[in-house]
Amino acid sequence: MTWTAPPVPRTQQLGTLGTVSERQMLEGWLRWHRETLLAKCAGLDGAALARAAVEPSNLTLLGLVRHMAEVERWWFRRSFAGEDVGDVFTGPSDGDEGLDGVRAADAERDFARFRSEIETCDAAAAGHDLDETFPSSYGVRLSLRWVYVQMIQEYARHNGHADFLRERTDGTTGDA
């Protein structure tokens, strides 16, 4: 049986974020963007997810899922929490932060790794103050707040790419 990306129920409604604490707002926006990326993939099989649909770019929906797992790990676990962990996908055959090395046959595994990485990253940030800082690879101190904002903008940018990829794949448009 061919695996397809499952539907994504929205656990975060944006209208509820207008008057919550800063932490709840940042976590909520990040959750919404994570769910948006998965929603753009919902209902597609591995072949469709691994298809580069906007030529000449080799960008794929599955590559975006893999890339965001790498970015989550980099900022929350390796940079902020200082964990000594390797990459999720990137290696000699994978190329640029998970974007390359995409294989349709690995779609289910890659989605599971993405979801697992999100859980682990959320755990790495839990209980820490937004003002807590860490030394960045750029030689400046950054805060956990900065990481949340960075992740929200990273997802927003790539969710725009996902919009185009999904529309070119099967004509589906919209927020879901």
Side-chain angles (χ1 to χ4, degrees), residues 10 12-18 20-36 148-149 151-153 155-156 159:
R10 286 289 188 178
Q12 183 62 63
Q13 300 302 315
L14 294 180
T16 65
L17 297 176
V20 298
S21 73
E22 180 184 18
R23 180 66 174 254
Q24 291 171 312
M25 186 178 293
L26 292 171
E27 289 175 348
W29 271 102
L30 182 55
R31 184 177 316 110
W32 189 83
H33 276 293
R34 288 167 170 169
E35 291 174 357
T36 297
Y148 276 103
V149 173
M151 290 305 303
I152 291 165
Q153 77 79 28
Y155 272 102
N159 282 340

Side-chain angles (χ1 to χ4, degrees), residues 3-6 46 49 62 65-66 69-70 88-90 93-94 98 100-117:
W3 180 85
T4 59
L49 291 166
L62 186 55
V65 168
R66 290 163 45 101
E70 292 287 354
V88 183
F89 297 107
T90 304
S93 63
D94 292 321
D100 295 328
V102 173
R103 291 174 9 112
D106 295 334
E108 183 175 15
R109 178 205 71 179
D110 293 352
F111 269 70
R113 284 186 179 170
F114 173 78
R115 289 181 182 273
S116 176
E117 196 58 38

Side-chain angles (χ1 to χ4, degrees), residues 53-73:
V54 182
E55 299 80 12
S57 173
N58 66 345
L59 193 61
T60 66
L61 287 166
L62 186 55
L64 288 175
V65 168
R66 290 163 45 101
H67 175 69
M68 292 312 300
E70 292 287 354
V71 174
E72 292 260 4
R73 178 174 282 199

Side-chain angles (χ1 to χ4, degrees), residues 35-145:
E35 291 174 357
T36 297
L37 178 58
L38 293 174
K40 291 295 175 186
C41 298
L44 297 178
D45 65 15
L49 291 166
R51 181 174 161 247
V54 182
E55 299 80 12
S57 173
N58 66 345
L59 193 61
T60 66
L61 287 166
L62 186 55
L64 288 175
V65 168
R66 290 163 45 101
H67 175 69
M68 292 312 300
E70 292 287 354
V71 174
E72 292 260 4
R73 178 174 282 199
W74 172 259
W75 285 114
F76 282 110
R77 296 182 63 198
R78 293 168 82 179
S79 297
F80 174 72
E83 294 181 26
D84 185 17
V85 292
D87 299 320
V88 183
F89 297 107
T90 304
S93 63
D94 292 321
D96 184 25
E97 297 178 334
L99 291 170
D100 295 328
V102 173
R103 291 174 9 112
D106 295 334
E108 183 175 15
R109 178 205 71 179
D110 293 352
F111 269 70
R113 284 186 179 170
F114 173 78
R115 289 181 182 273
S116 176
E117 196 58 38
I118 285 173
E119 289 176 18
T120 308
C121 289
D122 285 347
H128 292 276
D129 190 275
L130 292 174
D131 290 326
E132 190 172 326
T133 65
F134 61 96
S136 76
S137 60
Y138 310 119
V140 298
R141 294 203 68 79
L142 300 173
S143 67
L144 178 58
R145 175 184 293 101

